[in-house]
Amino acid sequence: VKTIQVKAEAGRYAAVCGRGALGRLGGIVENLRDGGTVFVLSSPKVWRHCGAAVLRKSRELVSQRVILFDDREVAKRLATVEKICRKLAAARADRQILLVAVGGGVVGDVAGFVAASYLRGVRVVHVPTTLVAQVDSAIGGKTGVNLPEGKNLVGAFFQPQAVIADPLFLLTLAPRQFRSGIYEVIKYGVIGDAALFDFLERKLANVLRLDMPALEFVIERSVRQKARVVGKDAREAGLRQVLNFGHTIGHALEALTGYKYFLHGEAVGWGMLGATRIAAAMGRLSEQDANRVASLIARCGKLPRLPAISSEALLRAIAGDKKSRGGKVGWVIPRRIGAVDFGVNVPEPLVAAAWRELPAFYEDARKGN
Ligand SMILES: NC(=O)c1ccc[n+]([C@@H]2O[C@H](COP(=O)([O-])OP(=O)(O)OC[C@H]3O[C@@H](n4cnc5c(N)ncnc54)[C@H](O)[C@@H]3O)[C@@H](O)[C@H]2O)c1
Ligand SMILES: [Zn+2]
């Protein structure tokens, strides 16, 4: 078990990673609780898979109140936040309570926003149970919900007291959900950790079969990478944009398919292929490194086919993303494996060309493996 310190404006907190990390929950809760009531926030599905393990570790401490809510993406909305807050209020929850959020990114984003807003802020510990949540959403303090007008449009920056990322939770995860998280792990390799990328090249099969030592390594390196980036730029003023590698096209693909066709990580997988192709076309990345990125992505299993989307529609969707600033799209473009530039201006014809070549680029990478 490794403890990684995550720096935030309001102090620092520990992310505890590795097999047996869950064993630390009892002690962490005991230290933080200070006489207050502990409420677990989770979903029926997550609790069915993970509840027994959580309670085994810390029954007296953690089982005081369990509030379960729907964690489908469609339920990630203000109505769910209101329901949870009303349950807390009905239980006379005061500022001294401690929330323990057990679940994937949806549970974490909703519970984190509840923590940020109930009584203007109560403490929360995150226990992420998906790969995406462990390497990404539980770290960095972004919380929030969707509006019918778009994803994650209402939210707050709010840091947890601690994060506990135990890979044993991932054993019950649907394979497609697991692979979706692997694309984000590849992202961390490309943007800032060449050793992680090398490791994935050598040990991807181990990771995909949930071999625990391999999984522990990639989770720890990913958490370190995310912690490093958000520690330097908590509010996405600059550096944090590097985390958006693959997300410019990825977000556009999700929006164009109504968030129903791709899992987020899969859209990011396509998006990283696109940004890599663009990088090579601009002469910013060697063909050799571009092929390594494509090849690793191709080895993770088959991405859902790209739907027929014109390059005009793609460019429009890219310009509409909330992360574009005043209409200017800042691309994250790799320089080599382990280093990227952000805020890069890419001429639209280049984007359109990369988009047309994308299926062939991916197929070639698959054949090459
Ligand atoms: N806050 C951030 O910085 C950030 C970063 C990335 C993603 N997100 C958000 O996270 C959400 C996606 O999160 P996700 O990929 O974790 O998906 P998710 O929370 O939707 O979970 C995926 C599915 O797996 C189930 N599940 C969770 N843990 C399980 C387990 N251990 N065993 C079996 N089933 C389990 C869930 O019930 C759900 O059906 C999106 O809403 C996205 O916007 C937020
Ligand atoms: Zn992402």
Side-chain angles (χ1 to χ4, degrees):
V1 174
K2 299 264 171 62
T3 299
I4 297 162
Q5 295 295 330
V6 188
K7 237 174 50 198
E9 282 165 339
R12 53 176 65 227
Y13 57 94
V16 186
C17 310
R19 268 177 297 175
L22 183 59
R24 303 286 175 85
L25 179 63
I28 288 173
V29 167
E30 187 168 23
N31 278 336
L32 291 170
R33 191 167 73 106
D34 199 17
T37 310
V38 180
F39 289 82
V40 172
L41 301 185
S42 188
S43 80
K45 183 169 167 196
V46 171
W47 201 240
R48 204 160 59 236
H49 287 293
C50 309
V54 171
L55 293 182
R56 209 177 306 127
K57 293 299 177 196
S58 40
R59 183 173 298 277
E60 337 63 63
L61 290 166
V62 176
S63 69
Q64 305 192 350
R65 296 265 158 74
V66 180
I67 297 176
L68 301 182
F69 59 93
D70 186 352
D71 71 348
R72 285 171 303 160
E73 188 69 35
V74 288
K76 185 177 151 181
R77 56 195 182 110
L78 284 165
T80 305
V81 172
E82 181 176 1
K83 265 190 214 155
I84 297 166
C85 288
R86 289 190 61 192
K87 283 192 179 155
L88 290 172
R92 308 212 175 287
D94 59 18
R95 283 224 172 89
Q96 264 48 57
I97 63 169
L98 179 65
L99 302 180
V100 176
V102 180
V106 172
V107 166
D109 280 10
V110 172
F113 189 55
V114 166
S117 40
Y118 183 72
L119 299 179
R120 297 193 188 80
V122 295
R123 296 164 309 157
V124 61
V125 172
H126 282 301
V127 182
T129 63
T130 65
L131 185 57
V132 167
Q134 294 188 352
V135 301
D136 191 356
S137 58
I139 314 282
K142 280 198 200 176
T143 73
V145 295
N146 307 326
L147 293 177
E149 285 75 14
K151 261 190 68 132
N152 298 326
L153 289 184
V154 176
F157 282 102
F158 192 74
Q159 307 298 335
Q161 301 295 310
V163 176
I164 294 177
D166 196 319
L168 287 171
F169 284 126
L170 308 183
L171 293 172
T172 55
L173 205 55
R176 192 179 165 198
Q177 293 286 350
F178 178 78
R179 280 202 310 275
S180 171
I182 292 292
Y183 298 108
E184 297 276 5
V185 172
I186 293 175
K187 178 190 81 177
Y188 290 121
V190 176
I191 66 172
D193 189 345
L196 172 60
F197 193 94
D198 291 347
F199 181 87
L200 288 168
E201 285 187 321
R202 282 181 284 114
K203 301 280 189 189
L204 184 68
N206 301 53
V207 174
L208 291 175
R209 81 171 99 88
L210 302 182
D211 174 47
M212 280 296 148
L215 209 45
E216 277 182 314
F217 181 81
V218 300
I219 292 170
E220 184 205 326
R221 299 294 288 216
S222 300
V223 169
R224 279 192 199 285
Q225 180 65 21
K226 177 130 192 200
R228 197 155 41 225
V229 172
V230 301
K232 289 186 189 151
D233 175 20
R235 286 177 184 266
E236 208 160 46
L239 179 67
R240 194 166 173 159
Q241 290 171 45
V242 300
L243 298 171
N244 257 358
F245 173 55
H247 287 60
T248 307
I249 290 175
H251 284 149
L253 287 178
E254 286 183 280
L256 287 164
T257 52
Y259 299 93
K260 288 191 188 86
Y261 178 66
F262 294 108
L263 294 180
H264 172 70
E266 295 168 342
V268 171
W270 277 116
M272 291 191 294
L273 286 165
T276 298
R277 184 78 201 156
I278 288 169
M282 293 176 94
R284 288 172 163 262
L285 179 71
S286 71
E287 288 289 339
Q288 189 197 350
D289 276 0
N291 290 336
R292 281 177 71 193
V293 174
S295 165
L296 187 58
I297 291 170
R299 283 168 59 201
C300 294
K302 200 151 172 37
L303 285 168
R305 290 173 63 89
L306 283 184
I309 293 166
S310 68
S311 50
E312 293 75 25
L314 182 81
L315 286 165
R316 259 198 310 278
I318 287 173
D321 192 45
K322 75 169 156 34
K323 298 226 168 91
S324 66
R325 286 153 198 253
K328 285 256 286 277
V329 181
W331 288 78
V332 183
I333 298 293
R335 209 184 310 143
R336 58 184 147 77
I337 286 165
V340 290
D341 297 305
F342 61 89
V344 176
N345 177 48
V346 178
E348 291 198 337
L350 254 174
V351 179
W355 176 245
R356 282 190 298 271
E357 294 159 6
L358 208 46
F361 184 47
Y362 181 56
E363 276 317 310
D364 286 350
R366 279 178 64 80
K367 279 189 212 125
N369 284 327

